[in-house]
């Protein structure tokens, strides 16, 4: 076995010459990697496999970096020897417009992919606030408002080429929506934060771009009012494509509902939705200013992600209010209220960056988690905060997750410690 300090020649050979020493600019959560590897070209998957075989043999810890927009999510890795950049895996392999399917390198940026598809009147039905790469989208499972009408990221992944931690290349699924043979590795890796394998190529299901769209926005008076409005939308025949809540800790709360389709149908559904939402509802052909915007760590010291049963929205919002009052910190809430996912921002101007305050908010919300049927995790925070608090908290199915990790990455090559339970 070679040592970390003399691995560069082997990484250069494995990557076809695309390796270098790391520097401060490459740091992940304060850990400066000794090496950075950036495979590129038509044989990039083979290069990634060779790099991981080297890391597996030499006991090197690898963190994958696409656009780097979500490297601050999850727990800090326990150790870091190699940053594996996937930006060179950006080939648009195939766009089968007639089948509504695209196959692309995992390093392709989302904005570039959407531009590729627009000419055919199609799109990848995700709209996350942070525009990263396709691989980062799948690894983080970060969707956006479109999730209500088009489903989560995992439902859009129909095939994948994956390099395991030991360097073995595996393929699952294919280029048609109905794939039934073998293990669905693409879906398994969705939301795994790069801890189970490295995606190098992804086949994705597409949707047509809607001919027209409209938003119906209504003021929200209370947690119970928000819940009643969302339940009304979910159980109505207007078939909303998205329903987003913006509830500042100090200020007016709003619920906005998006409707997509053909122009006459959208107009009629928008009128029905406005009548359903009641007093103050307004129809517009443009989105509210806050729509799809991130509660990011630049404006909030820390952001949390809360999942819940959609019928328990009021319980979660009341728990947020209770936590805010107990800690003395305004808590902003924004997200996809109808699918059970909201982001909670802790205060402004960095006031939410005190680890003790973050821990108190987490304790309060997690203490109510059984009542709203979900979980609360730290989504984005400074490294010092994530090192001081339990980022993931109690999560169901942890034993199963650990067994999966042990089978796919028994020596802990890929982002050790970043995922739930120290996986």
């Amino acid at each position: 076995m070679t040592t970390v300090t003399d691995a560069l020649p082997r990484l250069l050979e494995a990557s076809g010459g695309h390796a270098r020493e790391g520097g401060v600019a490459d740091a992940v959560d304060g850990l400066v990697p000794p090496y950075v590897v950036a495979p590129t070209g038509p044989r990039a998957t083979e290069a990634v496999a060779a790099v991981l075989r080297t890391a597996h043999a030499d006991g090197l810890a690898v963190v994958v970096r696409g656009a780097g927009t979500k490297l601050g999510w999850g727990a800090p890795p326990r150790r870091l020897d190699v940053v594996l950049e996937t930006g060179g895996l950006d080939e648009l392999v195939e766009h089968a417009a007639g089948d509504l399917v695209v196959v692309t390198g995992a390093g392709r940026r989302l904005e570039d992919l959407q531009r590729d598809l627009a000419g055919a009147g199609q799109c990848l039905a995700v709209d996350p606030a942070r525009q990263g790469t396709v691989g980062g989208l799948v690894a983080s499972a970060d969707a956006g408002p479109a999730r209500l009408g088009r489903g989560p990221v995992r439902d859009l992944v129909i095939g994948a080429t994956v390099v395991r931690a030991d360097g073995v290349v595996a393929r699952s699924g294919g280029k048609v929506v109905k794939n039934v043979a073998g293990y669905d590795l693409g879906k398994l890796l969705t939301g795994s934060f790069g801890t189970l394998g490295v995606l190098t190529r992804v086949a994705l299901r597409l949707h047509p771009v809607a001919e027209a769209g409209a938003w119906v926005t209504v003021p929200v008076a209370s947690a119970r009012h928000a819940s009643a409005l969302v339940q009304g939308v979910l159980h109505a025949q207007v078939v909303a494509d998205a329903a987003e809540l913006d509830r500042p800790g100090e200020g007016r709360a709003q619920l906005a509902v998006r409707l997509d389709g053909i122009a006459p149908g959208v107009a009629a559904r928008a009128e029905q939705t406005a009548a359903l939402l009641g007093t103050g509802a307004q129809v517009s052909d443009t989105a509210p200013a806050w729509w799809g915007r991130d509660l990011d760590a630049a404006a909030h010291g820390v952001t949390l992600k809360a999942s819940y049963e959609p019928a328990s929205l009021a319980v979660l919002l009341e728990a947020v209010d209770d936590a805010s009052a107990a800690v003395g910190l305004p808590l902003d809430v924004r997200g996809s209220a109808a699918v059970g996912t909201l982001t909670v921002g802790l205060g402004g101007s960095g006031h939410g960056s005190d680890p003790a305050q973050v821990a108190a908010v987490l304790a309060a919300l997690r203490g109510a988690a059984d009542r709203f049927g979900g979980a609360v995790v730290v989504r984005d925070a400074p490294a010092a905060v994530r090192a001081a608090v339990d980022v993931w908290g109690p999560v169901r199915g942890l034993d199963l997750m650990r067994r999966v990790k042990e089978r796919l990455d028994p020596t802990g090559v890929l982002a050790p410690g970043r995922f739930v339970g120290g996986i």
Side-chain angles (χ1 to χ4, degrees), residues 341-389:
T341 302
L342 291 174
T343 301
V344 181
L346 275 66
S349 304
H351 293 304
S353 298
D354 179 358
Q357 282 187 319
V358 177
V361 172
L362 283 170
L365 294 180
R366 287 170 177 168
D370 285 344
R371 289 191 284 118
F372 56 75
V376 179
V377 303
V378 177
R379 181 174 181 257
D380 200 353
V385 173
R386 286 184 288 129
V389 304

Side-chain angles (χ1 to χ4, degrees), residues 145 148 230 233-234 240-245 255-258 291 335-339:
L148 177 62
V230 169
V233 170
L234 286 175
D241 291 275
E244 297 283 296
L245 177 67
L255 178 73
V257 178
R258 189 175 75 195
W291 181 273
S336 302
V339 299

Side-chain angles (χ1 to χ4, degrees), residues 319-339:
V320 170
D321 292 342
D322 291 343
S324 175
V327 179
L329 192 68
L331 300 179
D332 299 338
V333 176
R334 184 180 295 167
S336 302
V339 299

Side-chain angles (χ1 to χ4, degrees), residues 394-418:
V395 175
R396 298 171 186 168
L398 182 56
D399 288 344
L400 176 60
M401 294 183 200
R402 285 185 168 140
R403 290 200 296 274
V404 171
K405 175 71 172 180
E406 288 168 1
R407 294 298 295 269
L408 294 180
D409 183 16
T411 60
V413 169
L414 294 170
R418 192 178 183 196

Side-chain angles (χ1 to χ4, degrees), residues 70-347:
K70 304 177 185 73
L71 275 182
W73 294 11
R78 282 194 297 271
R79 56 193 179 92
L80 174 61
D81 302 311
V82 179
V83 165
L84 174 57
E85 293 187 334
T86 60
L89 287 78
D90 62 348
E91 179 187 12
L92 180 65
V93 180
E94 180 182 0
H95 177 198
D99 296 328
L100 287 166
V101 169
V102 68
V103 182
T104 179
R108 194 161 191 81
R109 287 181 173 268
L110 289 173
E111 57 264 43
D112 292 337
L113 179 62
Q114 300 289 25
R115 191 161 43 244
D116 299 331
L117 304 173
Q122 298 178 358
C123 67
L124 179 62
V126 294
D127 41 14
R130 299 188 188 188
Q131 293 288 308
T133 63
V134 170
L137 172 80
V138 176
S140 64
D142 184 34
R147 179 177 169 178
L148 177 62
R150 301 292 184 264
V153 172
R154 68 187 305 274
D155 288 353
L156 304 178
V157 177
I158 61 174
T161 299
V162 178
V163 182
R164 296 187 342 197
D166 59 1
V168 172
V169 178
R171 295 178 175 83
S172 71
K175 296 186 293 184
V176 296
V177 174
K178 293 184 178 180
N179 292 295
V180 295
Y183 295 107
D184 199 338
L185 284 176
K187 286 183 172 52
L188 181 65
L189 264 63
T190 303
S192 66
F193 280 64
T195 58
L196 299 180
V198 178
L199 286 163
T200 60
R201 184 173 289 185
V202 186
L204 297 158
R205 175 187 177 193
L206 305 176
H207 287 81
V209 174
E211 174 186 306
W215 285 261
V216 184
T217 306
V218 66
V220 174
S222 67
R224 298 284 166 182
H225 186 211
S227 182
L229 291 172
V230 169
Q231 288 303 306
V233 170
L234 286 175
H235 293 91
Q237 295 183 351
V238 295
V239 190
D241 291 275
E244 297 283 296
L245 177 67
D246 180 51
R247 191 170 184 258
E250 297 172 336
R252 188 181 68 164
Q254 284 187 321
L255 178 73
V257 178
R258 189 175 75 195
L259 304 143
D260 292 337
I262 60 174
V266 166
R269 289 160 58 209
E271 290 182 6
Q272 295 169 12
T273 303
L276 175 72
L277 296 180
T279 304
Q282 294 184 334
V283 178
S284 174
D285 58 2
T286 59
W290 52 266
W291 181 273
R293 292 182 178 271
D294 219 357
L295 291 180
D296 60 17
H300 300 77
V302 173
T303 58
L304 312 178
K305 181 178 179 180
S307 59
Y308 57 95
E309 297 170 353
S312 299
L313 172 60
V315 180
L316 170 63
L317 294 178
E318 288 170 353
V320 170
D321 292 342
D322 291 343
S324 175
V327 179
L329 192 68
L331 300 179
D332 299 338
V333 176
R334 184 180 295 167
S336 302
V339 299
T341 302
L342 291 174
T343 301
V344 181
L346 275 66

